[in-house]
Amino acid sequence: MPIFAVHYVYTDATAAARLENRPEHRGWLNNLVDQGTILTSGPYPDGTGALILFRAESLEFVTDLLPQDPFAKLGLIEDKRAVEWLPVMGVFSEE
């Protein structure tokens, strides 16, 4: 099944609101991890965004899920990019 990389972009203006709402955001992510839909997720150390790796049938499935993220519902994501990713080695490759 394909893997999709989702890059979130954050701004300093939403840092306090993200901190306040992080438990709900992480709960949403953890539920998708438990379902096998998210492989891993985490913020960039400089606070500019985050990376989420999804295993899903299609990009459309992923993009339909993203508005359900509590951060998205609250307008805390400045921008996002979702692309199919093809790992050719390591733990996420199919070889």
Side-chain angles (χ1 to χ4, degrees), residues 8 10 17-18 21-22 25 69-77:
Y8 279 175
Y10 301 144
R18 282 185 280 113
N21 292 283
R22 188 163 287 133
H25 167 70
D69 184 338
F71 277 8
K73 288 180 179 182
L74 294 168
L76 304 178
I77 303 164

Side-chain angles (χ1 to χ4, degrees), residues 29-80:
L29 293 169
N30 277 318
N31 183 48
L32 292 171
V33 168
D34 292 345
Q35 294 175 27
T37 302
I38 288 181
L39 299 173
T40 191
S41 176
Y44 300 129
D46 65 1
T48 61
L51 173 66
I52 309 169
L53 294 182
F54 287 82
R55 186 178 302 276
E57 300 266 338
S58 68
L59 181 58
E60 181 180 37
F61 178 86
V62 172
T63 58
D64 286 348
L65 275 178
L66 296 177
Q68 299 173 32
D69 184 338
F71 277 8
K73 288 180 179 182
L74 294 168
L76 304 178
I77 303 164
E78 181 69 21
D79 197 10
K80 66 182 171 302

